[in-house]
Amino acid sequence: MHSTAPPLRSPPSRWASSRAAALLLAAVGVGAYSNSFSVPFHYDDRVVILGEPAITGFRLAWSSRRFLGDLSFALCYRLFGDRPLGYHVVNLGIHLASALLVYALVRALFSAPSLERSRIAPHAPAVALAAGLLFVGHPVQTQAVTYVVQRYASLAALFFLAATLCYVRFRIATSRAWYVGFLAAALAAFWTKENAFVLPLVVLALELSLFNASAARRLLFLSPFVLALIVGAAALASSGVSFSRLDALTRVDTAMSRADYLLTQVRVVARYLQLLAVPIGQNLDHDVSLSTSIAEPRVIAALLLHLGLGGGAALAFARGRSADPAWRLVGVGIAWFYLSLLVESSIVPIVDVMYEHRVYLPSVGVFLAAAIVLALAVPPPRAAWRATVATAVAALTVATFSRNRVWRDDLALWTDAARKSPGKARPLMSVGVALFERGRVAEAAEAYRAALRADPSYLKASFNLGEALQALGDCRGAIPEYLRFASVHPRYPQTYRNLARCYEQLGDPTMARLFEERFARESAREGPLPPFYR
């Protein structure tokens, strides 16, 4: 006897919901970044991508800690060369894919047995969509998306989210395929950017918050990371590395103390939270003074904020046991935010203490917590829920579109940064470079002077001021600037060529010949030049 019943299929509403969510996320993302495709390369884009022979020549090192990011740039260079459009399309594609993973991850979290009795569990797709929309439309993400070179941050986040989703799916379905996917995505994240190394901690937070298992079983799930840590520690110990070498390996281009960096990051992380809550004052180059004492009022205020959020996370976990279990996800979101900042905002000093692209991955935790709190306060699909989400997303999307206008050219970008960081030399000098390249040489010279007033030791501005004065015919003013620069950077050949030409113009052939000879010697030196960029 043959059945006339139609074949089994997934519920239409579920598929329709997923398709509609994907289309809406894509529409918001494309709308927010529609004016970014004409943005030129900026600052480190020219150095890391166009100026790196390993990328332009496709000679990548497998041992690089950012191999997959380098590979993506090398492939883009093969396809697009020095045309920014293709790079921006790829960056936006990564951002949209990450937003889809945020949506899929939040939906998957509600499939955990511990959340089945939540009153908002039936509306998990709506909550997940809200989190994804906040993520894709928020203007704080522009530095990780519109600034091409920060693909390292967005690509690492993509793999990080994929790994987390695979782990959650594995714990729900106990499928080996999901676990293999988890390990593969984790390896990809680790091979893209160092901030992904906190993935095991985030997974452990999810495991302890949402799933039940013995300690031995949990250790088994995370054993690949424990084994890698043991092997890495053993290899480091057997290598005989000195403490000074270890110290150098765990800092980036700075000698600042770890204590000062940590205290400063207490304030920086609070600033990240402010930008996520109210995205006002975005800046490519924030001017953040170092904090040297825990007694500083700004440090104390920031600490109180972090302690309050930590207490809020603990309270959320407690309410998850006694009230609606979805409160656990609020605690998870707060933990995600802080854990994913551990590499760049703790005791590993980095010369630039604050960059907005560093909050790209941590922001997922904030948007998860925000979507859950809103859903518990105004359960979907009420009109108030839809209106609140729609208003917030629309405002954020407009703000992102507006922020992308600042990236339209180097003069607009650096003028914005200099206005917001008037006491920092780098933005002021970069304004000068943009003016110089436009033929506005006298204005460029003034910008370089302003940079040197802000920081007399910022000698890149001295070299550039020398060039500007030389272009204006003031070689007597240019020579001291070149000599000042050469006293600290003696191996930069162009300094001596410029000095030789200045002395030629002043009618001093002896000094001109002397500096031409020095130019020839420095140009003939083997090995790479010390890093110096305009």
Side-chain angles (χ1 to χ4, degrees):
M1 186 173 181
H2 298 282
S3 171
T4 58
L8 293 175
R9 63 181 64 184
S10 299
S13 60
R14 176 185 173 188
W15 288 104
S17 174
S18 297
R19 284 199 300 268
L23 289 172
L24 186 55
L25 287 167
V28 169
V30 171
Y33 289 90
S34 59
N35 60 341
S36 70
F37 299 123
S38 60
V39 169
F41 289 121
H42 284 296
Y43 201 51
D44 282 348
D45 291 341
R46 300 186 184 96
V47 176
V48 177
I49 303 172
L50 304 183
E52 178 51 62
I55 288 174
T56 57
F58 218 92
R59 297 190 300 271
L60 304 177
W62 290 87
S63 58
S64 170
R65 290 172 296 178
R66 298 188 175 189
F67 174 78
L68 291 180
D70 293 339
L71 177 61
S72 77
F73 286 129
L75 291 171
C76 278
Y77 189 81
R78 282 290 180 95
L79 292 171
F80 313 121
D82 60 359
R83 300 181 299 277
L85 173 61
Y87 296 82
H88 286 300
V89 171
V90 173
N91 274 25
L92 181 56
I94 291 170
H95 185 49
L96 296 179
S98 294
L100 287 170
L101 286 173
V102 171
Y103 169 77
L105 175 60
V106 177
R107 286 196 64 170
L109 291 173
F110 275 100
S111 297
S114 60
L115 295 180
E116 286 179 344
R117 66 181 183 86
S118 170
R119 62 187 172 88
I120 62 173
H123 307 294
V127 179
L129 180 58
L133 288 171
L134 292 172
F135 175 84
V136 79
H138 201 289
V140 81
Q141 315 294 31
T142 51
Q143 193 162 302
V145 181
T146 307
Y147 190 9
V148 174
V149 77
Q150 298 310 335
R151 181 186 301 173
Y152 291 112
S154 61
L155 188 60
L158 176 73
F159 293 133
F160 192 107
L161 287 164
T164 308
L165 174 62
C166 285
Y167 185 83
V168 172
R169 288 293 187 191
F170 159 70
R171 289 296 282 118
I172 293 168
T174 62
S175 166
R176 291 182 180 178
W178 284 115
Y179 190 74
V180 171
F182 161 60
L183 294 179
L187 180 60
F190 297 158
W191 220 2
T192 303
K193 195 180 181 192
E194 298 84 344
N195 68 328
F197 292 156
V198 300
L199 175 63
L201 298 178
V202 171
V203 168
L204 181 60
L206 288 168
E207 175 67 38
L208 295 174
S209 304
L210 303 178
F211 301 104
N212 293 317
S214 65
R217 189 167 174 79
R218 284 170 169 158
L219 181 61
L220 178 64
F221 295 153
L222 296 176
S223 59
F225 304 107
V226 176
L227 180 61
L229 182 62
I230 293 172
V231 170
L236 190 64
S238 63
S239 69
V241 64
S242 65
F243 283 111
S244 61
R245 177 58 179 160
L246 187 60
D247 176 71
L249 290 172
T250 54
R251 60 176 61 249
V252 181
D253 299 330
T254 181
M256 79 176 75
S257 76
R258 298 182 190 276
D260 290 352
Y261 187 79
L262 178 60
L263 288 172
T264 304
Q265 288 305 307
V266 170
R267 293 167 38 225
V268 168
V269 174
R271 177 75 169 127
Y272 289 149
L273 286 166
Q274 177 263 301
L275 287 172
L276 287 167
V278 184
I280 295 175
Q282 284 188 259
N283 187 357
L284 172 61
D285 204 357
H286 289 272
D287 189 5
V288 181
S289 60
L290 290 183
S291 290
T292 58
S293 170
I294 197 171
E296 288 181 24
R298 292 179 300 174
V299 174
I300 293 173
L303 275 174
L304 290 175
L305 172 64
H306 301 318
L307 289 172
L309 284 173
L315 181 61
F317 282 122
R319 290 199 66 182
R321 292 191 180 94
S322 61
D324 194 304
W327 279 105
R328 297 185 186 188
L329 292 181
V330 176
V332 166
I334 295 172
W336 179 303
F337 174 78
Y338 284 105
L339 289 173
S340 54
L341 278 169
L342 278 178
V343 171
E344 294 171 315
S345 293
S346 57
I347 58 170
V348 179
I350 304 173
V351 62
D352 293 303
V353 299
M354 180 178 181
Y355 264 138
E356 290 171 18
H357 64 264
R358 293 175 187 166
V359 81
Y360 185 83
L361 175 62
S363 71
V364 174
V366 173
F367 299 138
L368 168 63
I372 297 298
V373 169
L374 178 60
L376 290 169
V378 186
R382 293 182 183 176
W385 159 270
R386 292 195 296 269
T388 302
V389 172
T391 301
V393 172
L396 292 173
T397 303
V398 170
T400 297
F401 187 90
S402 177
R403 178 63 185 166
N404 277 325
R405 288 176 177 168
V406 175
W407 290 83
R408 67 184 180 272
D409 60 56
D410 53 352
L411 184 56
L413 181 63
W414 286 112
T415 298
D416 175 78
R419 179 173 58 83
K420 294 170 180 173
S421 300
K424 194 168 187 177
R426 183 167 55 190
L428 292 164
M429 190 201 70
S430 298
V431 169
V433 172
L435 290 167
F436 188 90
E437 291 176 348
R438 286 164 172 77
R440 297 160 62 177
V441 182
E443 293 174 79
E446 287 305 311
Y448 297 144
R449 289 191 178 99
L452 289 168
R453 285 194 296 271
D455 183 359
S457 68
Y458 197 71
L459 295 186
K460 294 178 184 180
S462 283
F463 178 90
N464 286 355
L465 178 57
E467 279 197 323
L469 293 174
Q470 186 175 1
L472 291 169
D474 182 10
C475 277
R476 294 190 185 280
I479 288 172
E481 299 300 332
Y482 286 138
L483 293 175
R484 187 164 172 246
F485 174 79
S487 68
V488 177
H489 300 281
R491 285 197 52 205
Y492 191 65
Q494 190 61 40
T495 312
Y496 307 110
R497 168 59 60 85
N498 292 355
L499 281 165
R501 290 174 177 171
C502 273
Y503 278 107
E504 283 176 2
Q505 291 181 32
L506 293 174
D508 190 338
T510 302
M511 291 298 292
R513 185 167 54 255
L514 185 151
F515 282 113
E516 278 289 357
E517 292 171 356
R518 182 67 185 273
F519 168 75
R521 287 199 304 273
E522 295 300 336
S523 298
R525 281 182 183 268
E526 295 183 359
L529 290 172
F532 171 70
Y533 313 113
R534 263 197 171 182

